[in-house]
Amino acid sequence: ITALLTALSLLFAGCATNPKKISATYVSPMVYSDYDCDQIRAEMLRVNRKLQEVMGVQSSESTEDAVAFGVGLVLFWPALFFMIGEDKKEEIAGLKGQHEALEQVAIMKKCESLLREIEESKAQAKAAAEKKKVER
């Protein structure tokens, strides 16, 4: 039974992580220190688009892995071999780090309109998350 539990834990460790649980990797704000406010805004848009794209893929992989794990444990153990998906954890962590660095540079450069946009975006995301919780 110990061998079975060890094998299952190794398979589960290979599952794609929920993208919301992935922490940012540190990226130095100095990378963007030469950017003006317009360049910071443009780069933030690019990073955000890519982050949303990769998080969507990661979320799908995470869900598929969770379903395969549940089915494998309960009904059909060979389903556990379908959990070998593409984990984009490092890419997501890097993009989150870039976003944080860009936000820090925007603060240092006093990009007021960009900072307002960031705060509005965060408030909208928080409201959307709260709405999802209520709907469940």
Side-chain angles (χ1 to χ4, degrees):
I1 223 164
T2 304
L4 178 64
L5 290 175
T6 303
L8 287 175
S9 67
L10 288 173
L11 277 171
F12 193 64
C15 290
T17 307
N18 183 323
K20 293 178 183 174
K21 295 181 179 181
I22 299 173
S23 299
T25 302
Y26 176 76
V27 174
S28 173
M30 296 306 292
V31 172
Y32 305 106
S33 64
D34 292 338
Y35 285 32
D36 62 29
C37 292
D38 289 336
Q39 290 171 315
I40 294 168
R41 175 182 281 109
E43 186 64 9
M44 279 185 117
L45 288 171
R46 186 196 68 76
V47 167
N48 281 335
R49 273 194 303 271
K50 184 66 176 173
L51 181 58
Q52 294 308 311
E53 174 188 320
V54 176
M55 283 179 64
V57 170
Q58 182 77 359
S59 183
S60 293
E61 288 290 335
S62 175
T63 301
E64 288 172 14
D65 285 353
V67 169
F69 188 74
V71 169
L73 282 180
V74 176
L75 299 175
F76 187 61
W77 67 266
L80 295 174
F81 294 107
F82 292 102
M83 291 174 39
I84 303 170
E86 188 175 349
D87 193 3
K88 299 195 174 284
K89 183 177 180 178
E90 289 182 25
E91 186 175 3
I92 291 171
L95 289 165
K96 285 183 176 184
Q98 288 176 20
H99 186 273
E100 287 180 2
L102 286 160
E103 195 170 325
Q104 290 173 7
V105 171
I107 291 168
M108 288 188 306
K109 299 226 177 196
K110 297 181 172 102
C111 301
E112 298 299 328
S113 64
L114 180 55
L115 294 172
R116 279 193 297 279
E117 288 175 25
I118 293 168
E119 290 305 315
E120 288 172 11
S121 176
K122 286 180 181 179
Q124 289 172 353
K126 186 176 179 180
E130 292 297 320
K131 185 177 179 183
K132 273 189 178 179
K133 284 182 184 177
V134 170
E135 290 174 356
R136 290 181 191 179

